[in-house]
Amino acid sequence: MRQALSASGKLFTSKRVVETRSRSQWKTAIFLVVAVIANSFGNLLLAIGMDGMPSFADTPFPHYVYLLVANPYVIPGTVLSAIYMLAQLSLFSWADLSFVAPMIASSYVVTALLSEFVLGERVELERWLGVLLICMGVAFVMRTPCDTKAEEP
Amino acid sequence: MRMVTWLLIVMIVVLGSAGDVLCAKGMASGGEISNFAPSHLGGVIRSIVERRLVILGWVCDALSFFSLLALLSIAQLSIAVPATALSFVVDTLGARFFLHEHVHWKRWLGVLLVTAGVILTVRSGTTPQLTGARGPSAAAVQPHHYETGNHN
């Protein structure tokens, strides 16, 4: 009887652990997607916005600040970059750095797709090969648990 | 490449990774952030900026970014900027030895593939890209150089 109770307790505990891990995996996946999309689009908007700015050296500082604030790309780009930073730091509060850093490299894949299909640029074969390697790398990293520090005895 | 170019690449990679390690350490030591309700967002941001290691991490990130700006002004970009992709490997070493993470061989293989992929991607890119320092502002300085870029 005691053995049966002990066994059911173990079963209950392991089920709870599995549920917690599953919830953590979903949370991690959602935060990674938010971080990657905010990073890619934030970079793109900032780059487009800064591309249209005059030279910093040739423009009076108050006017430069006004142009930055009035630029339709810079503020949304900055907000997206702040969301990226917040998502990444939140991920660090429960997931490994060695898991989060390579996973966020998926931003390069999104940037290549944006270049080809949104900006209409011709992405070179070498860059597609890079995208393929990043996808393979992310697939390998995804097969490891996101928090290995919790596994310590 | 000149000595100063190598020095700047090392500074970009090491300071960028130090920033990541410090931020990760700072965030991990304060417990998992779990409440992301909009009304609690201010509290989340406050709890982040109160962590000294995170602030120190941001200082390292800023120094890494300034080193990148210095590099962009002197280096052969088609070689120098992809070299900063090595920060993925240094990040993983930092995670292994300073944060005591268990880096499985699958994760190492993944990191090496990602590093190789990022090198290929930034070498051939003409559109806004991240750099090894993974700082968003880096995007603004890189495309112009890449348009005229292959000096090697």
Side-chain angles (χ1 to χ4, degrees), chain A residues 7 29 31 35 80 91 122 143 152-153:
Chain A
F31 273 77
L80 283 172
L91 278 162
R122 197 167 168 278
R143 288 174 170 272
E152 282 177 19

Side-chain angles (χ1 to χ4, degrees), chain A residues 60-139:
Chain A
F61 184 66
H63 186 60
Y64 193 85
V65 173
Y66 167 75
L67 289 175
L68 267 184
V69 176
N71 189 308
Y73 297 103
V74 170
I75 299 287
T78 308
V79 170
L80 283 172
S81 297
I83 292 172
Y84 155 67
M85 187 179 274
L86 197 61
Q88 190 195 39
L89 287 172
S90 304
L91 278 162
F92 284 156
S93 77
W94 70 83
D96 288 351
L97 168 65
S98 60
F99 179 85
V100 174
M103 292 298 277
I104 287 183
S106 311
S107 305
Y108 291 90
V109 177
V110 178
T111 304
L113 292 174
L114 282 174
S115 310
E116 174 83 23
F117 297 110
V118 178
L119 300 181
E121 289 182 4
R122 197 167 168 278
V123 175
E124 292 169 27
L125 185 65
E126 188 182 337
R127 197 160 162 204
W128 285 126
L129 187 62
V131 164
L132 181 69
L133 287 178
I134 293 171
C135 290
M136 286 165 62
V138 166

Side-chain angles (χ1 to χ4, degrees), chain B residues 68-146:
Chain B
L68 177 70
L69 289 184
L71 179 69
L72 288 171
S73 66
I74 59 164
Q76 292 182 345
L77 290 152
S78 53
I79 297 170
V81 176
T84 60
L86 289 173
S87 65
F88 286 100
V89 176
V90 180
D91 264 8
T92 311
L93 287 171
R96 170 70 185 83
F97 293 107
F98 293 107
L99 304 177
H100 307 293
E101 293 174 6
H102 299 274
V103 186
H104 194 268
W105 68 265
K106 282 181 193 166
R107 194 175 283 183
W108 265 119
L109 183 58
V111 167
L112 293 175
L113 284 168
V114 163
T115 305
V118 169
I119 289 170
L120 280 180
T121 308
V122 294
R123 271 179 71 89
S124 55
T126 55
T127 40
Q129 285 287 311
L130 295 157
T131 67
R134 292 196 296 279
S137 348
V141 284
Q142 197 178 333
H144 305 287
H145 295 283
Y146 263 99

